[in-house]
Amino acid sequence: MFTSQSHNDVEGDLVGGDKVDNSRTIVIHPVVNNAAGQELAVLYQKYKANGVGDPSHGQFSEKLQHYMSAITDGDVRGLDAKLRESGREDQLRTAMDLKERAFKSIMRYQTSRTAQRVYTIVLSELHAAFTLTVTPVIQEGAERVAVDQCINAILQSTKNILGENVFEFDVMDLLALLYYLGGNCHLRWDKC
């Protein structure tokens, strides 16, 4: 169906999508992943049914294990080195505390395969969004403020897919998971 826009009087810009003004700070509009949100809704229902969902029988899922293990063929610097070398010394104390918080949170749900899948989805969303949105901005040599705006955008975008959010993830929990990914060699805040 076609809607005619003729004879409309508009002051300013009329935009049907994202408007990017190249004279200002980088503007990022991450796309919300509806498939992830739908899968999370199903997982939440399973989890709420008995407080565990599908039991893990003492095993971590392979995909979650990938995020829990440090990659040995990439950037093997620790979180503190990555933050120092990217001029983020001011984040060191908070980042280390949040990384530990993320680890403890994941371990709290180790008996639930359902919860492991929730964490895997969230980590995967953060990792992909950082890689595809933040890393190119870092590689272009953007100022820290612009990089942080991109990081905030992916945190907000990830928060938006959580739906009912049975695990009560807040933005600081998501930031903790980003630091966790950085500490396990999955991402960095400086140029490659």
Side-chain angles (χ1 to χ4, degrees), residues 83 86-91 137 141-151 179:
L83 292 173
S86 63
R88 294 172 176 271
E89 295 88 356
D90 60 299
Q91 294 181 345
V137 173
E143 296 293 323
R144 178 174 167 179
V145 171
V147 173
D148 287 350
Q149 287 175 341
C150 292
I151 291 170
Y179 288 130

Side-chain angles (χ1 to χ4, degrees), residues 75-127:
D75 183 358
V76 294
R77 294 175 296 162
L79 179 59
D80 57 341
K82 288 178 181 179
L83 292 173
R84 285 184 202 285
E85 292 172 24
S86 63
R88 294 172 176 271
E89 295 88 356
D90 60 299
Q91 294 181 345
L92 277 172
R93 183 184 194 111
T94 301
M96 299 306 282
D97 289 344
L98 288 174
K99 178 188 169 209
E100 181 70 18
R101 178 169 126 183
F103 174 74
K104 288 177 180 178
S105 182
I106 292 168
M107 295 309 291
R108 184 177 311 121
Y109 295 104
Q110 64 184 317
T111 60
S112 170
R113 190 146 186 92
T114 302
Q116 288 180 29
R117 181 64 188 148
V118 169
Y119 273 91
T120 302
I121 290 168
V122 174
L123 286 164
S124 178
E125 289 293 319
L126 288 169
H127 188 205

Side-chain angles (χ1 to χ4, degrees), residues 156-170:
Q156 296 301 326
S157 175
T158 303
K159 189 172 185 311
N160 288 339
I161 69 164
L162 296 176
E164 186 179 356
N165 196 5
V166 170
F167 293 85
E168 299 179 351
F169 291 113
D170 59 32

Side-chain angles (χ1 to χ4, degrees), residues 70-76 185:
I71 298 173
T72 57
D73 63 349
D75 183 358
V76 294
C185 305

